[in-house]
Amino acid sequence: MKQAYEFDTVSQYNAFNNQETLHPLVSIIDFSKAKERTGSRMTFGLYCIFLKDVHCGNLKYGCHSYDYEKGTLVFVSPGQVLDVENKVDYYQPIGHGLIFHPDLIKGTALARILNEYSFFSYNTNEALHLSEKERKIVFDCFSKIENELSQSVDKHSKKLITSNIELFLNYCERFYDRQFITREHVNRGILERFEQQLNDYFASEKPYHIGLPSVAYFAERLRLSPNYFGDLIKKETGKSAQDYIQNKIIAIAKDKIYGNHKTISEVAYALGFKYPQHFSRLFKKRAGYTPNEYRNLN
């Protein structure tokens, strides 16, 4: 039976990995110090970034799994559950990690912007694949944080530690931007499937039964996390996924208004709007005319 662990403090996770606790709220982990382990389910109350240098099996969030290769960064936020499904009975973890408790960043500049780092909500199959140059930058960031942890705590410690964590996360943002570009052929395929899903949705009876489709609806069908899906669409099109959906709605609405004798209310219901006035408001905002004005113009 798979072992289950809960890690709510830095010291708990340090002990699990045979790591000395230098600071109660933050740690740089050297996984080579840990004992051999087998498959497990881990629940975290911490922010964790893992860079492992061994092929240890599959990581899994919910229904999504990822074959965890050497040289990838995986991000975990408080409340997430991580399943490790090994291809061997036991393995020796090797690599490094950064973990920190939410209390570490309270009252800091990082706390105000942490939600902007959307990769903490990505699925494991959307992990960050590092180049050798990027790996060196990651280790340099870890080294700066570890060096600060080895110093005596003073009034500057918290600011310097959190600033270095922010620097590391900013680099990760840059690396993800690079990955979106270098995996353009994959992303293009996703964009084409998204467009097909949109067309199929509005060609079916789903708008009557489900209503307007959400970003999360299409992300789930494309087996992506909503945040990763939204970031990918933004990088590929310059528009948010929500804008992309709404533009499609308006394009279809124009055909329906111009091409048949349905009332504006009937068009609104056919597109999934619960209230026709909401449709008219969106149409005016996007097209510059009310639906009736557009019909009269054409």
Side-chain angles (χ1 to χ4, degrees):
M1 183 177 177
K2 188 180 294 185
Q3 290 181 291
Y5 301 95
E6 291 187 16
F7 300 109
D8 293 316
T9 67
V10 168
S11 59
Q12 285 176 334
Y13 196 64
N14 279 341
F16 180 68
N17 291 287
N18 291 327
Q19 194 83 28
E20 181 183 1
T21 299
L22 301 176
H23 191 291
L25 299 177
V26 59
S27 183
I28 298 294
I29 304 293
D30 179 355
F31 288 108
S32 67
K33 297 180 180 179
K35 295 179 180 178
E36 286 190 348
R37 61 183 60 159
T38 185
S40 58
R41 165 169 287 196
M42 303 179 189
T43 304
F44 292 90
L46 310 165
Y47 288 97
C48 308
I49 301 98
F50 302 123
L51 173 60
K52 292 193 177 181
D53 285 330
V54 63
H55 185 78
C56 61
N58 294 336
L59 293 182
K60 190 175 182 182
Y61 289 161
C63 297
H64 299 279
S65 63
Y66 174 69
D67 195 9
Y68 194 14
E69 299 172 353
K70 178 180 176 180
T72 54
L73 274 179
V74 170
F75 300 82
V76 179
S77 58
Q80 287 185 313
V81 178
L82 191 65
D83 279 332
V84 180
E85 299 176 341
N86 293 327
K87 295 182 177 180
V88 294
D89 290 337
Y90 290 91
Y91 73 96
Q92 173 62 53
I94 300 174
H96 293 78
L98 164 64
I99 63 169
F100 61 94
H101 194 279
D103 287 350
L104 174 73
I105 63 172
K106 286 187 183 298
T108 68
L110 180 57
R112 293 191 291 273
I113 62 171
L114 191 63
N115 287 337
E116 296 177 14
Y117 299 107
S118 53
F119 42 74
F120 274 108
S121 299
Y122 288 178
N123 291 328
T124 45
N125 61 328
E126 300 150 357
L128 178 58
H129 303 266
L130 298 175
S131 68
E132 193 57 40
K133 182 178 179 181
E134 290 166 349
R135 282 167 54 85
K136 290 178 181 177
I137 294 173
V138 167
F139 282 120
D140 183 56
C141 290
F142 283 3
S143 178
K144 284 183 170 66
I145 297 169
E146 193 167 32
N147 181 65
E148 188 57 39
L149 293 178
S150 67
Q151 308 295 321
S152 299
V153 176
D154 58 27
K155 65 179 182 179
H156 303 288
S157 298
K158 182 173 182 176
K159 183 177 181 179
L160 288 169
I161 292 170
T162 57
S163 294
N164 277 297
I165 292 174
E166 183 177 345
L167 175 65
F168 165 67
L169 296 177
N170 286 336
Y171 272 118
C172 291
E173 252 190 341
R174 170 186 278 180
F175 300 158
Y176 257 116
D177 281 351
R178 185 271 309 156
Q179 182 163 295
F180 280 122
I181 294 170
T182 55
R183 302 186 72 192
E184 186 177 6
H185 65 290
V186 177
N187 299 340
R188 277 290 168 190
I190 292 171
L191 184 59
E192 290 168 3
R193 287 161 55 204
F194 175 37
E195 180 70 24
Q196 186 60 53
Q197 291 265 2
L198 273 169
N199 291 332
D200 291 347
Y201 188 91
F202 288 107
S204 71
E205 296 297 311
K206 289 179 181 178
Y208 286 108
H209 303 302
I210 300 175
L212 292 171
S214 65
V215 173
Y217 173 89
F218 291 109
E220 181 180 357
R221 274 145 189 80
L222 294 168
R223 296 186 64 79
L224 299 170
S225 65
N227 276 350
Y228 186 88
F229 174 63
D231 289 347
L232 186 153
I233 297 301
K234 181 74 172 178
K235 293 287 189 293
E236 287 294 313
T237 68
K239 303 181 183 69
S240 70
Q242 185 64 32
D243 281 341
Y244 197 96
I245 292 171
Q246 289 184 353
N247 286 345
K248 171 62 72 172
I249 290 170
I250 298 306
I252 296 172
K254 287 179 176 180
D255 287 339
K256 289 182 178 295
I257 291 169
Y258 180 73
N260 60 43
H261 301 291
K262 286 185 177 181
T263 66
I264 300 303
S265 292
E266 288 172 332
V267 171
Y269 294 135
L271 291 169
F273 285 87
K274 191 173 182 180
Y275 303 106
Q277 59 267 36
H278 291 173
F279 165 64
S280 296
R281 193 177 303 129
L282 177 66
F283 193 94
K284 176 70 180 291
K285 179 181 177 182
R286 294 281 177 172
Y289 303 96
T290 67
N292 276 319
E293 287 171 344
Y294 182 81
R295 172 169 280 172
N296 293 332
L297 283 170
N298 287 278

